[in-house]
Amino acid sequence: MPQVEITVPEHLEMQIAQLIEKGEFVNREEAISELLSTGLRAYKTSGPIEEEEPGFEEEGGMMGHEDEYVF
């Protein structure tokens, strides 16, 4: 499996450590791999998130799709 080195902000490292402590993941490698995979699947589903000015959201739900909400 290819290895990747990343640098994350301290607040993200703390959140990952808390998930491991709670038993959500066995170790950091599993946590980061699963969280990255989940993020990539979400990105493929919704596409890139465009930042908009507050108050200018399209009608019909988030992302302009009436029955689809992306979190």
Side-chain angles (χ1 to χ4, degrees):
M1 180 183 298
Q3 291 187 349
V4 177
E5 185 176 319
I6 62 168
T7 302
V8 296
E10 189 173 327
H11 72 279
L12 292 179
E13 174 61 28
M14 290 173 52
Q15 289 178 11
I16 291 168
Q18 288 175 348
L19 290 170
I20 295 166
E21 286 176 21
K22 290 179 182 179
E24 295 289 329
F25 301 101
V26 175
N27 55 38
R28 287 180 77 232
E29 183 178 342
E30 178 190 3
I32 292 170
S33 178
E34 183 62 33
L35 293 168
L36 184 57
S37 294
T38 301
L40 288 171
R41 282 192 304 272
Y43 184 84
K44 281 183 171 180
T45 301
S46 64
I49 298 173
E50 295 180 24
E51 294 186 27
E52 295 183 14
E53 297 278 335
F56 291 99
E57 187 174 314
E58 295 180 31
E59 290 185 33
M62 298 179 79
M63 304 289 292
H65 302 283
E66 212 168 299
D67 296 325
E68 180 179 333
Y69 289 90
V70 179
F71 297 97

